[in-house]
Amino acid sequence: MRKGNETRERILDIAEAGVLAKGFGATSIDEIIAEAGITKSGFFYHFHDKNELARGLLARHRGRLGQLVDEIFGRAAELSDDPLQQLLIGLTLFAEHMAAMPGGHPGCLVATMSYQEQLFNREVRAMVSSIVEDWNAFFRSMIERIVAAYPLREPVDPGRIARNITCAIDGGIIMSKSLGDPSVLPEQMLMARNYVKMLFQPAALHAVPREALAA
């Protein structure tokens, strides 16, 4: 069982590196088999076809991303009870984590698969959409808690603010890769943080919740 799990993870590691480097279509099963040092039947024991391989990659990506987000924003919640400060701190910690990655972020698996959606079946495409929707929903829930406590400078829908944060992260990954500059990603994450900070009145670091203003 342990050896089987190790082989599966090895296949996923090789496939993910290939997909991020040159795309899903250009990453062949034969190439993965050769690098993993396994037989073709060994590959198909774990993944019946490339769509199942894609689902495996996405499921692992979702789990890792969820764990990272829970750790970072869990730490932010430990540092502050205020919903606005929790988001600002969390985005700062997130940016610092990305800045500390050796060589920069390797690339966005979800974005890569989104660009090549014609290669996948309906189930894989649904997984890609679901991961993006979960990401937006996570930030939307945080924004809604902030809106309930603080006045907005401008009447902006929480869902749009959440998507702005998500786009800053995914767009930062793409631009960092395109320019060969790892600093772009944390920079854009902090820009999204500053945008959120400026949206709420009074100034974020000296803000008073609505409950206190009404007292």
Side-chain angles (χ1 to χ4, degrees), residues 7-184:
T7 300
R8 178 185 172 86
E9 286 301 305
R10 174 70 174 150
I11 292 170
L12 289 172
D13 287 340
I14 294 168
E16 183 173 323
V19 170
L20 292 176
K22 56 189 177 182
F24 195 83
T27 303
S28 70
I29 291 177
D30 288 340
E31 170 190 341
I32 296 169
I33 288 170
E35 188 169 344
I38 59 175
T39 63
K40 186 165 287 191
S41 61
F43 175 89
F44 287 116
Y45 172 81
H46 295 283
F47 304 99
H48 295 145
D49 55 26
K50 285 191 76 174
N51 275 292
E52 187 170 342
L53 175 62
R55 291 196 298 272
L57 287 169
L58 289 170
R60 190 173 72 159
H61 172 77
R62 171 178 260 160
R64 288 178 172 178
L65 180 60
Q67 182 178 3
L68 176 62
V69 168
D70 287 347
E71 290 174 358
I72 288 176
F73 286 91
R75 178 57 179 155
E78 291 173 357
L79 294 172
S80 177
D81 293 329
D82 181 86
L84 178 56
Q85 294 305 312
Q86 285 177 4
L87 180 56
L88 298 180
I89 293 169
L91 288 174
T92 300
L93 294 175
F94 209 169
E96 290 176 351
H97 174 84
M98 294 301 178
M101 296 182 74
H105 197 285
C108 181
L109 190 66
V110 172
T112 299
M113 291 191 177
S114 296
Y115 301 146
Q116 298 186 314
E117 65 174 6
Q118 72 278 1
L119 298 176
F120 307 113
N121 62 22
R122 183 179 301 176
E123 185 176 352
V124 174
R125 293 196 298 270
M127 283 187 73
V128 170
S129 297
S130 177
I131 290 172
V132 175
E133 289 168 358
D134 287 349
W135 197 224
N136 287 334
F138 173 79
F139 285 117
R140 178 171 186 142
S141 67
M142 296 194 77
I143 296 295
E144 287 175 343
R145 288 179 55 227
I146 297 169
V147 170
Y150 292 94
L152 276 164
R153 290 181 184 270
E154 300 291 339
V156 185
D157 178 77
R160 294 184 178 183
I161 302 172
R163 288 195 292 272
N164 176 263
I165 297 172
T166 304
C167 286
I169 297 171
D170 287 342
I173 293 172
I174 294 168
M175 188 172 290
S176 288
K177 295 290 287 183
S178 298
L179 299 178
D181 183 357
S183 69
V184 173

Side-chain angles (χ1 to χ4, degrees), residues 180-200:
D181 183 357
S183 69
V184 173
L185 172 56
E187 165 202 284
Q188 290 304 303
M189 294 176 73
L190 291 176
M191 289 295 292
R193 173 199 183 277
N194 291 340
Y195 173 64
V196 171
K197 179 179 174 180
M198 290 188 294
L199 273 176
F200 294 92

